[in-house]
Amino acid sequence: MIPTLTWTLEGVKFIDQTKLPLEESYVLATDYEQVADVIVAMVVRGAPAIGVSAAYGVALGALRSKAPTAREFAPEFEKICARLAGTRPTAVNLFWAIDRMKRLFEHLLSSDVSMPQVQEKFLAEAHAMYDEDIAACKAMGAFGGALLPQQGGVLTHCNAGALATCGYGTALGVIRSAVEQGKNIRVYADETRPFLQGARLTAWELMADGIATTVICDNMAASLMRAGRIQAVVVGADRIAANGDFANKIGTYNVAILAREHGIPFYVAAPWSTIDTATPSGDAIPIEERSAHEVTHHGGKQLTPHGVGICNPAFDVTPARYVTAIITERGVLRAPYAESLKEMELVAR
Amino acid sequence: MIPTLTWTLEGVKFIDQTKLPLEESYVLATDYEQVADVIVAMVVRGAPAIGVSAAYGVALGALRSKAPTAREFAPEFEKICARLAGTRPTAVNLFWAIDRMKRLFEHLLSSDVSMPQVQEKFLAEAHAMYDEDIAACKAMGAFGGALLPQQGGVLTHCNAGALATCGYGTALGVIRSAVEQGKNIRVYADETRPFLQGARLTAWELMADGIATTVICDNMAASLMRAGRIQAVVVGADRIAANGDFANKIGTYNVAILAREHGIPFYVAAPWSTIDTATPSGDAIPIEERSAHEVTHHGGKQLTPHGVGICNPAFDVTPARYVTAIITERGVLRAPYAESLKEMELVAR
């Protein structure tokens, strides 16, 4: 089991994803500020993992509070939620998790319970989200694993694995499940510049599980597709809009276009918490622009000439028309997504 | 003037392209073996620059020879040509340059001239190829500059610039010419993993010329295109087949697909020496696979977990159907390329 984030008596322990794969070290966040810092620094990343981390952050905020009752804790609670919500803008799971804690807190406020009760309920809710996340990954794996070919190459971009969730992974959960079903799969992992989640994290966790993995530079995907070495693409998502457009790690849109051009199915695997029906289409998804330093430097070494312009959007938006299917823990959705998403939402209620 | 390669009394001086942009250092090749090493190590790279480097390598081989006549030099000449031809397989300019020296040598052999005469003729031929290369770049610039928009973003991949030629550049020559014509252009330079020719070399030489340049990761191109920030793509080529398919730096095929998907014109700029009518289509172009180390390490630091599989093809093939026009020193060619290439070849004879 890969320890993406673990609740301990001292706080939340995170495997440091900025240091993998060559160094396996851990960061302990003992208060909500530290949880926020850890999210900003991408010690923990991946939409589902960020969501659950934020929930634990809220729980830690309550645990460290000196307020005697829920009502007196309320202003502090607002501050905690605002700080955590301000860490990263694109992954909707962050806001989903905070909203869930807010709904719980409203309920607790209505009877103005004591702080020990708030603390207990908050921690229980975070634990529940943690468990639900793993269960959702396993369900996605079961639904999605069946879609992958009996044999062949599967391309993935970024890391939508155990390290992006509380365990098992979304896109990599689908691949893990296919391998567990006896399918003979080689994973092609886009290295995923600039943060190299593919080269560092996807390669690390798949090798730990003994799954055949080849790292490629992001610009090699089209030639591998043309050579017939890729039979399917599976990626995760940071936010899926009501019409099926979705945001995911920068470069996902490139891969989607290349897959369609080569007639290769392109699957998105994400828990229901990634679906944001309040966002009508991809154009309304806010895209985080990160520091130029991530592009200009590597391992402390500068790559580019001084003063050159840099773009560093952390995500891009892929229109729904490129998506063969969306794999969720509730089942596999097909186009038209505006309808299938709405239907699945109603069924689940 | 960027000193990609310079003839000196001691041999050929190369700017070390593995060290740019932060270190401007030079490597002197005093014999043909050293020229071959410099090509293999990518101290000099770019199809036209490799071709002229090989010609100087042959000239150096003759200058260092102890043979008294052309006839006695013949076995050594074969060895020199074989060594230089064995450096890199994809760029046809290398073989074109060596063949040109071979034709010259056959002519010299027929009258069994003395070695000083061979040396003089070889050096004169290499100098002629150097001058022709710059003239070809200027002509491509004039033809191609007119195709670029009056204002907007132009994406390029890898480095098809002064550093890939004897000066001015092919794709970057087209951009330089457009800027000289008063066009208001911002260049988006794909960083071009794994060797980072875009981030390091294209950015360096365009900034030296005061041309507005933004470096992006290779996986950002599609989102910039979708955002309307790219009005044209111009790339170089390492080999153009008789049907217009062409090989160029890995990732070019990706960009070509993305450009067509967004309705953006995609131009290839290359001198006639890059056109290989003996190769019927792109499928017949040999693609160099380079060391995994280029992908797994950067600046001495390992990026990937130990033992993971790696792909590192240095080039890919873009089918002719993605190419809006091929810009050569003889003029601008349009599809169907099998015909336009043949026609232009006949006109030039």
Side-chain angles (χ1 to χ4, degrees), chain A residues 191 193 213 215 218-219 222 253-254 260-262 298 303 309 322, chain B residues 191 193 213 215 218-219 222 251 253-254 260-262 298 303 309 322:
Chain A
E191 64 174 5
R193 283 278 295 150
T213 305
V215 170
D218 299 321
N219 61 26
Y253 176 42
N254 297 43
R260 199 173 68 168
E261 186 75 5
H262 293 91
H298 190 82
L303 312 172
Y322 295 96
Chain B
E191 65 173 5
R193 281 280 295 155
T213 306
V215 171
D218 300 320
N219 61 25
Y253 176 42
N254 296 42
R260 200 173 67 167
E261 187 74 7
H262 294 91
H298 190 82
L303 313 173
Y322 295 96

PDB file of all heavy atoms in Angstrom, chain A residues 191 193 213 215 218-219 222 253-254 260-262 298 303 309 322, chain B residues 191 193 213 215 218-219 222 251 253-254 260-262 298 303 309 322:
ATOM      1  N   GLU A 191       6.225  11.484 -19.571  1.00  0.00           N
ATOM      2  CA  GLU A 191       7.004  11.978 -18.426  1.00  0.00           C
ATOM      3  C   GLU A 191       6.308  13.152 -17.733  1.00  0.00           C
ATOM      4  O   GLU A 191       6.431  13.331 -16.535  1.00  0.00           O
ATOM      5  CB  GLU A 191       8.432  12.350 -18.834  1.00  0.00           C
ATOM      6  CG  GLU A 191       8.528  13.496 -19.801  1.00  0.00           C
ATOM      7  CD  GLU A 191       9.982  13.927 -20.061  1.00  0.00           C
ATOM      8  OE1 GLU A 191      10.930  13.282 -19.577  1.00  0.00           O
ATOM      9  OE2 GLU A 191      10.155  14.933 -20.782  1.00  0.00           O
ATOM     10  N   ARG A 193       6.058  16.962 -18.381  1.00  0.00           N
ATOM     11  CA  ARG A 193       6.746  18.186 -18.001  1.00  0.00           C
ATOM     12  C   ARG A 193       5.726  19.218 -17.536  1.00  0.00           C
ATOM     13  O   ARG A 193       4.586  19.181 -17.968  1.00  0.00           O
ATOM     14  CB  ARG A 193       7.536  18.710 -19.216  1.00  0.00           C
ATOM     15  CG  ARG A 193       8.820  17.912 -19.456  1.00  0.00           C
ATOM     16  CD  ARG A 193       9.953  18.356 -18.562  1.00  0.00           C
ATOM     17  NE  ARG A 193      10.345  19.727 -18.862  1.00  0.00           N
ATOM     18  CZ  ARG A 193      10.859  20.575 -17.964  1.00  0.00           C
ATOM     19  NH1 ARG A 193      11.046  20.212 -16.718  1.00  0.00           N
ATOM     20  NH2 ARG A 193      11.178  21.801 -18.319  1.00  0.00           N
ATOM     21  N   THR A 213       6.393  -0.950 -17.461  1.00  0.00           N
ATOM     22  CA  THR A 213       6.242   0.491 -17.653  1.00  0.00           C
ATOM     23  C   THR A 213       7.393   1.053 -18.485  1.00  0.00           C
ATOM     24  O   THR A 213       8.552   0.741 -18.231  1.00  0.00           O
ATOM     25  CB  THR A 213       6.232   1.213 -16.289  1.00  0.00           C
ATOM     26  OG1 THR A 213       5.215   0.635 -15.471  1.00  0.00           O
ATOM     27  CG2 THR A 213       5.964   2.702 -16.448  1.00  0.00           C
ATOM     28  N   VAL A 215       8.725   4.831 -19.784  1.00  0.00           N
ATOM     29  CA  VAL A 215       8.575   6.288 -19.729  1.00  0.00           C
ATOM     30  C   VAL A 215       8.931   6.867 -21.089  1.00  0.00           C
ATOM     31  O   VAL A 215       9.938   6.477 -21.699  1.00  0.00           O
ATOM     32  CB  VAL A 215       9.494   6.892 -18.646  1.00  0.00           C
ATOM     33  CG1 VAL A 215       9.523   8.417 -18.738  1.00  0.00           C
ATOM     34  CG2 VAL A 215       9.040   6.449 -17.259  1.00  0.00           C
ATOM     35  N   ASP A 218       6.858  13.586 -23.465  1.00  0.00           N
ATOM     36  CA  ASP A 218       5.492  13.920 -23.881  1.00  0.00           C
ATOM     37  C   ASP A 218       5.354  14.012 -25.395  1.00  0.00           C
ATOM     38  O   ASP A 218       4.291  13.761 -25.946  1.00  0.00           O
ATOM     39  CB  ASP A 218       5.080  15.265 -23.258  1.00  0.00           C
ATOM     40  CG  ASP A 218       5.109  15.206 -21.733  1.00  0.00           C
ATOM     41  OD1 ASP A 218       4.710  14.179 -21.166  1.00  0.00           O
ATOM     42  OD2 ASP A 218       5.556  16.188 -21.110  1.00  0.00           O
ATOM     43  N   ASN A 219       6.454  14.392 -26.056  1.00  0.00           N
ATOM     44  CA  ASN A 219       6.376  14.606 -27.500  1.00  0.00           C
ATOM     45  C   ASN A 219       6.540  13.320 -28.319  1.00  0.00           C
ATOM     46  O   ASN A 219       6.584  13.381 -29.545  1.00  0.00           O
ATOM     47  CB  ASN A 219       7.387  15.679 -27.932  1.00  0.00           C
ATOM     48  CG  ASN A 219       8.819  15.287 -27.618  1.00  0.00           C
ATOM     49  OD1 ASN A 219       9.148  14.111 -27.528  1.00  0.00           O
ATOM     50  ND2 ASN A 219       9.688  16.278 -27.458  1.00  0.00           N
ATOM     51  N   ALA A 222       2.713  10.642 -30.288  1.00  0.00           N
ATOM     52  CA  ALA A 222       2.137  10.491 -31.631  1.00  0.00           C
ATOM     53  C   ALA A 222       2.889   9.430 -32.426  1.00  0.00           C
ATOM     54  O   ALA A 222       2.274   8.601 -33.110  1.00  0.00           O
ATOM     55  CB  ALA A 222       2.154  11.831 -32.375  1.00  0.00           C
ATOM     56  N   TYR A 253      -4.905  17.452 -23.249  1.00  0.00           N
ATOM     57  CA  TYR A 253      -5.635  17.815 -24.474  1.00  0.00           C
ATOM     58  C   TYR A 253      -4.835  17.388 -25.711  1.00  0.00           C
ATOM     59  O   TYR A 253      -5.395  16.870 -26.679  1.00  0.00           O
ATOM     60  CB  TYR A 253      -5.914  19.322 -24.444  1.00  0.00           C
ATOM     61  CG  TYR A 253      -6.567  19.902 -25.673  1.00  0.00           C
ATOM     62  CD1 TYR A 253      -7.608  19.251 -26.323  1.00  0.00           C
ATOM     63  CD2 TYR A 253      -6.154  21.142 -26.177  1.00  0.00           C
ATOM     64  CE1 TYR A 253      -8.209  19.811 -27.448  1.00  0.00           C
ATOM     65  CE2 TYR A 253      -6.749  21.707 -27.288  1.00  0.00           C
ATOM     66  CZ  TYR A 253      -7.775  21.041 -27.922  1.00  0.00           C
ATOM     67  OH  TYR A 253      -8.364  21.601 -29.032  1.00  0.00           O
ATOM     68  N   ASN A 254      -3.509  17.591 -25.673  1.00  0.00           N
ATOM     69  CA  ASN A 254      -2.658  17.104 -26.769  1.00  0.00           C
ATOM     70  C   ASN A 254      -2.900  15.615 -27.002  1.00  0.00           C
ATOM     71  O   ASN A 254      -3.136  15.176 -28.137  1.00  0.00           O
ATOM     72  CB  ASN A 254      -1.160  17.269 -26.434  1.00  0.00           C
ATOM     73  CG  ASN A 254      -0.719  18.700 -26.260  1.00  0.00           C
ATOM     74  OD1 ASN A 254      -1.411  19.498 -25.638  1.00  0.00           O
ATOM     75  ND2 ASN A 254       0.441  19.033 -26.802  1.00  0.00           N
ATOM     76  N   ARG A 260      -7.495  10.519 -30.896  1.00  0.00           N
ATOM     77  CA  ARG A 260      -8.595  10.508 -31.866  1.00  0.00           C
ATOM     78  C   ARG A 260      -8.063  10.404 -33.285  1.00  0.00           C
ATOM     79  O   ARG A 260      -8.616   9.690 -34.120  1.00  0.00           O
ATOM     80  CB  ARG A 260      -9.492  11.728 -31.710  1.00  0.00           C
ATOM     81  CG  ARG A 260     -10.825  11.438 -32.393  1.00  0.00           C
ATOM     82  CD  ARG A 260     -11.852  12.479 -32.182  1.00  0.00           C
ATOM     83  NE  ARG A 260     -11.497  13.713 -32.862  1.00  0.00           N
ATOM     84  CZ  ARG A 260     -12.344  14.708 -33.022  1.00  0.00           C
ATOM     85  NH1 ARG A 260     -13.572  14.616 -32.552  1.00  0.00           N
ATOM     86  NH2 ARG A 260     -11.956  15.789 -33.635  1.00  0.00           N
ATOM     87  N   GLU A 261      -6.968  11.127 -33.558  1.00  0.00           N
ATOM     88  CA  GLU A 261      -6.383  11.101 -34.903  1.00  0.00           C
ATOM     89  C   GLU A 261      -5.958   9.683 -35.296  1.00  0.00           C
ATOM     90  O   GLU A 261      -5.988   9.331 -36.469  1.00  0.00           O
ATOM     91  CB  GLU A 261      -5.174  12.048 -34.938  1.00  0.00           C
ATOM     92  CG  GLU A 261      -4.543  12.249 -36.292  1.00  0.00           C
ATOM     93  CD  GLU A 261      -5.370  13.146 -37.203  1.00  0.00           C
ATOM     94  OE1 GLU A 261      -6.393  13.692 -36.753  1.00  0.00           O
ATOM     95  OE2 GLU A 261      -4.988  13.289 -38.382  1.00  0.00           O
ATOM     96  N   HIS A 262      -5.576   8.868 -34.298  1.00  0.00           N
ATOM     97  CA  HIS A 262      -5.117   7.505 -34.583  1.00  0.00           C
ATOM     98  C   HIS A 262      -6.183   6.456 -34.285  1.00  0.00           C
ATOM     99  O   HIS A 262      -5.890   5.257 -34.292  1.00  0.00           O
ATOM    100  CB  HIS A 262      -3.846   7.210 -33.778  1.00  0.00           C
ATOM    101  CG  HIS A 262      -2.673   8.037 -34.227  1.00  0.00           C
ATOM    102  ND1 HIS A 262      -2.373   9.250 -33.674  1.00  0.00           N
ATOM    103  CD2 HIS A 262      -1.754   7.841 -35.209  1.00  0.00           C
ATOM    104  CE1 HIS A 262      -1.315   9.766 -34.275  1.00  0.00           C
ATOM    105  NE2 HIS A 262      -0.926   8.940 -35.213  1.00  0.00           N
ATOM    106  N   HIS A 298      15.774  22.734 -13.490  1.00  0.00           N
ATOM    107  CA  HIS A 298      15.574  21.373 -13.007  1.00  0.00           C
ATOM    108  C   HIS A 298      16.726  20.963 -12.111  1.00  0.00           C
ATOM    109  O   HIS A 298      17.883  21.132 -12.479  1.00  0.00           O
ATOM    110  CB  HIS A 298      15.396  20.367 -14.136  1.00  0.00           C
ATOM    111  CG  HIS A 298      14.960  19.059 -13.573  1.00  0.00           C
ATOM    112  ND1 HIS A 298      13.651  18.793 -13.265  1.00  0.00           N
ATOM    113  CD2 HIS A 298      15.659  18.000 -13.138  1.00  0.00           C
ATOM    114  CE1 HIS A 298      13.571  17.615 -12.700  1.00  0.00           C
ATOM    115  NE2 HIS A 298      14.781  17.102 -12.608  1.00  0.00           N
ATOM    116  N   LEU A 303      17.819  25.828 -17.206  1.00  0.00           N
ATOM    117  CA  LEU A 303      17.833  25.242 -18.548  1.00  0.00           C
ATOM    118  C   LEU A 303      17.776  26.298 -19.638  1.00  0.00           C
ATOM    119  O   LEU A 303      18.287  26.098 -20.734  1.00  0.00           O
ATOM    120  CB  LEU A 303      16.606  24.332 -18.742  1.00  0.00           C
ATOM    121  CG  LEU A 303      16.272  23.312 -17.640  1.00  0.00           C
ATOM    122  CD1 LEU A 303      14.932  22.653 -17.921  1.00  0.00           C
ATOM    123  CD2 LEU A 303      17.369  22.273 -17.545  1.00  0.00           C
ATOM    124  N   GLY A 309      10.614  34.563 -22.091  1.00  0.00           N
ATOM    125  CA  GLY A 309       9.234  34.394 -21.647  1.00  0.00           C
ATOM    126  C   GLY A 309       8.960  32.921 -21.362  1.00  0.00           C
ATOM    127  O   GLY A 309       9.569  32.038 -21.961  1.00  0.00           O
ATOM    128  N   TYR A 322     -13.706  14.562 -27.459  1.00  0.00           N
ATOM    129  CA  TYR A 322     -12.541  13.672 -27.591  1.00  0.00           C
ATOM    130  C   TYR A 322     -12.601  12.467 -26.654  1.00  0.00           C
ATOM    131  O   TYR A 322     -11.731  11.610 -26.705  1.00  0.00           O
ATOM    132  CB  TYR A 322     -11.250  14.453 -27.301  1.00  0.00           C
ATOM    133  CG  TYR A 322     -10.969  15.529 -28.312  1.00  0.00           C
ATOM    134  CD1 TYR A 322     -11.335  16.847 -28.082  1.00  0.00           C
ATOM    135  CD2 TYR A 322     -10.360  15.219 -29.526  1.00  0.00           C
ATOM    136  CE1 TYR A 322     -11.096  17.833 -29.024  1.00  0.00           C
ATOM    137  CE2 TYR A 322     -10.115  16.195 -30.475  1.00  0.00           C
ATOM    138  CZ  TYR A 322     -10.492  17.506 -30.214  1.00  0.00           C
ATOM    139  OH  TYR A 322     -10.259  18.474 -31.145  1.00  0.00           O
TER     140      TYR A 322
ATOM    141  N   GLU B 191      10.021  23.434 -25.773  1.00  0.00           N
ATOM    142  CA  GLU B 191      11.323  23.195 -25.130  1.00  0.00           C
ATOM    143  C   GLU B 191      12.062  22.021 -25.782  1.00  0.00           C
ATOM    144  O   GLU B 191      13.283  22.015 -25.842  1.00  0.00           O
ATOM    145  CB  GLU B 191      11.182  22.990 -23.617  1.00  0.00           C
ATOM    146  CG  GLU B 191      10.407  21.763 -23.223  1.00  0.00           C
ATOM    147  CD  GLU B 191      10.438  21.512 -21.711  1.00  0.00           C
ATOM    148  OE1 GLU B 191      10.969  22.318 -20.938  1.00  0.00           O
ATOM    149  OE2 GLU B 191       9.892  20.469 -21.310  1.00  0.00           O
ATOM    150  N   ARG B 193      11.952  18.188 -25.466  1.00  0.00           N
ATOM    151  CA  ARG B 193      12.589  17.130 -24.683  1.00  0.00           C
ATOM    152  C   ARG B 193      13.059  16.018 -25.618  1.00  0.00           C
ATOM    153  O   ARG B 193      12.468  15.810 -26.672  1.00  0.00           O
ATOM    154  CB  ARG B 193      11.576  16.581 -23.664  1.00  0.00           C
ATOM    155  CG  ARG B 193      11.429  17.495 -22.450  1.00  0.00           C
ATOM    156  CD  ARG B 193      12.550  17.320 -21.450  1.00  0.00           C
ATOM    157  NE  ARG B 193      12.517  15.977 -20.863  1.00  0.00           N
ATOM    158  CZ  ARG B 193      13.584  15.362 -20.356  1.00  0.00           C
ATOM    159  NH1 ARG B 193      14.777  15.934 -20.380  1.00  0.00           N
ATOM    160  NH2 ARG B 193      13.477  14.162 -19.846  1.00  0.00           N
ATOM    161  N   THR B 213      10.322  35.943 -27.473  1.00  0.00           N
ATOM    162  CA  THR B 213      10.315  34.476 -27.414  1.00  0.00           C
ATOM    163  C   THR B 213       9.750  33.994 -26.089  1.00  0.00           C
ATOM    164  O   THR B 213      10.119  34.499 -25.030  1.00  0.00           O
ATOM    165  CB  THR B 213      11.755  33.935 -27.565  1.00  0.00           C
ATOM    166  OG1 THR B 213      12.328  34.463 -28.760  1.00  0.00           O
ATOM    167  CG2 THR B 213      11.772  32.411 -27.606  1.00  0.00           C
ATOM    168  N   VAL B 215       9.220  30.308 -24.105  1.00  0.00           N
ATOM    169  CA  VAL B 215       9.462  28.862 -24.073  1.00  0.00           C
ATOM    170  C   VAL B 215       8.262  28.182 -23.425  1.00  0.00           C
ATOM    171  O   VAL B 215       7.760  28.640 -22.399  1.00  0.00           O
ATOM    172  CB  VAL B 215      10.746  28.530 -23.278  1.00  0.00           C
ATOM    173  CG1 VAL B 215      10.884  27.025 -23.053  1.00  0.00           C
ATOM    174  CG2 VAL B 215      11.973  29.074 -24.013  1.00  0.00           C
ATOM    175  N   ASP B 218       6.610  20.985 -24.257  1.00  0.00           N
ATOM    176  CA  ASP B 218       6.057  20.412 -25.482  1.00  0.00           C
ATOM    177  C   ASP B 218       4.561  20.110 -25.358  1.00  0.00           C
ATOM    178  O   ASP B 218       3.836  20.139 -26.340  1.00  0.00           O
ATOM    179  CB  ASP B 218       6.802  19.116 -25.828  1.00  0.00           C
ATOM    180  CG  ASP B 218       8.291  19.361 -26.043  1.00  0.00           C
ATOM    181  OD1 ASP B 218       8.643  20.390 -26.645  1.00  0.00           O
ATOM    182  OD2 ASP B 218       9.102  18.525 -25.598  1.00  0.00           O
ATOM    183  N   ASN B 219       4.132  19.801 -24.138  1.00  0.00           N
ATOM    184  CA  ASN B 219       2.728  19.408 -23.952  1.00  0.00           C
ATOM    185  C   ASN B 219       1.770  20.597 -23.808  1.00  0.00           C
ATOM    186  O   ASN B 219       0.583  20.402 -23.562  1.00  0.00           O
ATOM    187  CB  ASN B 219       2.614  18.450 -22.758  1.00  0.00           C
ATOM    188  CG  ASN B 219       3.077  19.070 -21.459  1.00  0.00           C
ATOM    189  OD1 ASN B 219       3.050  20.289 -21.305  1.00  0.00           O
ATOM    190  ND2 ASN B 219       3.496  18.244 -20.513  1.00  0.00           N
ATOM    191  N   ALA B 222      -1.096  22.433 -27.570  1.00  0.00           N
ATOM    192  CA  ALA B 222      -2.519  22.337 -27.925  1.00  0.00           C
ATOM    193  C   ALA B 222      -3.337  23.389 -27.196  1.00  0.00           C
ATOM    194  O   ALA B 222      -4.213  24.031 -27.792  1.00  0.00           O
ATOM    195  CB  ALA B 222      -3.051  20.935 -27.627  1.00  0.00           C
ATOM    196  N   GLY B 251       8.484  14.716 -31.874  1.00  0.00           N
ATOM    197  CA  GLY B 251       7.468  15.661 -31.414  1.00  0.00           C
ATOM    198  C   GLY B 251       6.921  16.533 -32.521  1.00  0.00           C
ATOM    199  O   GLY B 251       5.868  17.152 -32.360  1.00  0.00           O
ATOM    200  N   TYR B 253       5.668  15.509 -35.335  1.00  0.00           N
ATOM    201  CA  TYR B 253       4.410  14.899 -35.805  1.00  0.00           C
ATOM    202  C   TYR B 253       3.255  15.280 -34.876  1.00  0.00           C
ATOM    203  O   TYR B 253       2.154  15.606 -35.337  1.00  0.00           O
ATOM    204  CB  TYR B 253       4.615  13.376 -35.887  1.00  0.00           C
ATOM    205  CG  TYR B 253       3.403  12.565 -36.256  1.00  0.00           C
ATOM    206  CD1 TYR B 253       2.517  12.973 -37.254  1.00  0.00           C
ATOM    207  CD2 TYR B 253       3.145  11.347 -35.620  1.00  0.00           C
ATOM    208  CE1 TYR B 253       1.409  12.201 -37.587  1.00  0.00           C
ATOM    209  CE2 TYR B 253       2.052  10.569 -35.955  1.00  0.00           C
ATOM    210  CZ  TYR B 253       1.182  11.002 -36.928  1.00  0.00           C
ATOM    211  OH  TYR B 253       0.087  10.239 -37.251  1.00  0.00           O
ATOM    212  N   ASN B 254       3.513  15.280 -33.559  1.00  0.00           N
ATOM    213  CA  ASN B 254       2.492  15.744 -32.607  1.00  0.00           C
ATOM    214  C   ASN B 254       2.010  17.144 -32.982  1.00  0.00           C
ATOM    215  O   ASN B 254       0.806  17.408 -33.066  1.00  0.00           O
ATOM    216  CB  ASN B 254       3.075  15.847 -31.180  1.00  0.00           C
ATOM    217  CG  ASN B 254       3.513  14.530 -30.592  1.00  0.00           C
ATOM    218  OD1 ASN B 254       4.122  13.713 -31.279  1.00  0.00           O
ATOM    219  ND2 ASN B 254       3.212  14.305 -29.330  1.00  0.00           N
ATOM    220  N   ARG B 260      -3.200  20.995 -37.465  1.00  0.00           N
ATOM    221  CA  ARG B 260      -4.321  20.737 -38.385  1.00  0.00           C
ATOM    222  C   ARG B 260      -5.649  20.744 -37.637  1.00  0.00           C
ATOM    223  O   ARG B 260      -6.653  21.263 -38.123  1.00  0.00           O
ATOM    224  CB  ARG B 260      -4.141  19.430 -39.137  1.00  0.00           C
ATOM    225  CG  ARG B 260      -5.016  19.457 -40.377  1.00  0.00           C
ATOM    226  CD  ARG B 260      -4.807  18.291 -41.281  1.00  0.00           C
ATOM    227  NE  ARG B 260      -5.244  17.056 -40.670  1.00  0.00           N
ATOM    228  CZ  ARG B 260      -5.390  15.930 -41.340  1.00  0.00           C
ATOM    229  NH1 ARG B 260      -5.119  15.894 -42.637  1.00  0.00           N
ATOM    230  NH2 ARG B 260      -5.790  14.840 -40.745  1.00  0.00           N
ATOM    231  N   GLU B 261      -5.635  20.156 -36.434  1.00  0.00           N
ATOM    232  CA  GLU B 261      -6.865  20.099 -35.637  1.00  0.00           C
ATOM    233  C   GLU B 261      -7.396  21.506 -35.339  1.00  0.00           C
ATOM    234  O   GLU B 261      -8.603  21.704 -35.221  1.00  0.00           O
ATOM    235  CB  GLU B 261      -6.583  19.348 -34.329  1.00  0.00           C
ATOM    236  CG  GLU B 261      -7.792  19.069 -33.468  1.00  0.00           C
ATOM    237  CD  GLU B 261      -8.677  17.963 -34.016  1.00  0.00           C
ATOM    238  OE1 GLU B 261      -8.298  17.306 -35.011  1.00  0.00           O
ATOM    239  OE2 GLU B 261      -9.769  17.758 -33.440  1.00  0.00           O
ATOM    240  N   HIS B 262      -6.488  22.479 -35.238  1.00  0.00           N
ATOM    241  CA  HIS B 262      -6.895  23.851 -34.914  1.00  0.00           C
ATOM    242  C   HIS B 262      -6.907  24.762 -36.137  1.00  0.00           C
ATOM    243  O   HIS B 262      -7.044  25.982 -35.998  1.00  0.00           O
ATOM    244  CB  HIS B 262      -5.978  24.431 -33.828  1.00  0.00           C
ATOM    245  CG  HIS B 262      -6.126  23.725 -32.507  1.00  0.00           C
ATOM    246  ND1 HIS B 262      -5.356  22.650 -32.153  1.00  0.00           N
ATOM    247  CD2 HIS B 262      -6.984  23.920 -31.472  1.00  0.00           C
ATOM    248  CE1 HIS B 262      -5.710  22.213 -30.952  1.00  0.00           C
ATOM    249  NE2 HIS B 262      -6.699  22.967 -30.517  1.00  0.00           N
ATOM    250  N   HIS B 298      18.997  14.514 -16.043  1.00  0.00           N
ATOM    251  CA  HIS B 298      19.239  15.878 -16.484  1.00  0.00           C
ATOM    252  C   HIS B 298      20.233  16.549 -15.563  1.00  0.00           C
ATOM    253  O   HIS B 298      20.066  16.526 -14.347  1.00  0.00           O
ATOM    254  CB  HIS B 298      17.963  16.716 -16.590  1.00  0.00           C
ATOM    255  CG  HIS B 298      18.269  17.993 -17.272  1.00  0.00           C
ATOM    256  ND1 HIS B 298      18.332  18.100 -18.644  1.00  0.00           N
ATOM    257  CD2 HIS B 298      18.652  19.194 -16.793  1.00  0.00           C
ATOM    258  CE1 HIS B 298      18.721  19.314 -18.957  1.00  0.00           C
ATOM    259  NE2 HIS B 298      18.907  19.997 -17.859  1.00  0.00           N
ATOM    260  N   LEU B 303      16.096  11.313 -13.042  1.00  0.00           N
ATOM    261  CA  LEU B 303      14.708  11.726 -12.881  1.00  0.00           C
ATOM    262  C   LEU B 303      13.789  10.541 -12.621  1.00  0.00           C
ATOM    263  O   LEU B 303      12.760  10.686 -11.958  1.00  0.00           O
ATOM    264  CB  LEU B 303      14.204  12.426 -14.161  1.00  0.00           C
ATOM    265  CG  LEU B 303      15.082  13.498 -14.801  1.00  0.00           C
ATOM    266  CD1 LEU B 303      14.497  13.924 -16.133  1.00  0.00           C
ATOM    267  CD2 LEU B 303      15.211  14.688 -13.864  1.00  0.00           C
ATOM    268  N   GLY B 309      11.520   1.102 -18.213  1.00  0.00           N
ATOM    269  CA  GLY B 309      11.723   1.132 -19.659  1.00  0.00           C
ATOM    270  C   GLY B 309      11.739   2.564 -20.172  1.00  0.00           C
ATOM    271  O   GLY B 309      11.124   3.450 -19.566  1.00  0.00           O
ATOM    272  N   TYR B 322      -0.163  16.575 -43.611  1.00  0.00           N
ATOM    273  CA  TYR B 322      -0.248  17.600 -42.564  1.00  0.00           C
ATOM    274  C   TYR B 322       0.485  18.892 -42.929  1.00  0.00           C
ATOM    275  O   TYR B 322       0.434  19.865 -42.183  1.00  0.00           O
ATOM    276  CB  TYR B 322       0.338  17.061 -41.250  1.00  0.00           C
ATOM    277  CG  TYR B 322      -0.455  15.915 -40.671  1.00  0.00           C
ATOM    278  CD1 TYR B 322      -0.086  14.598 -40.915  1.00  0.00           C
ATOM    279  CD2 TYR B 322      -1.592  16.155 -39.913  1.00  0.00           C
ATOM    280  CE1 TYR B 322      -0.825  13.541 -40.402  1.00  0.00           C
ATOM    281  CE2 TYR B 322      -2.337  15.110 -39.397  1.00  0.00           C
ATOM    282  CZ  TYR B 322      -1.945  13.802 -39.650  1.00  0.00           C
ATOM    283  OH  TYR B 322      -2.674  12.771 -39.144  1.00  0.00           O
TER     284      TYR B 322
END
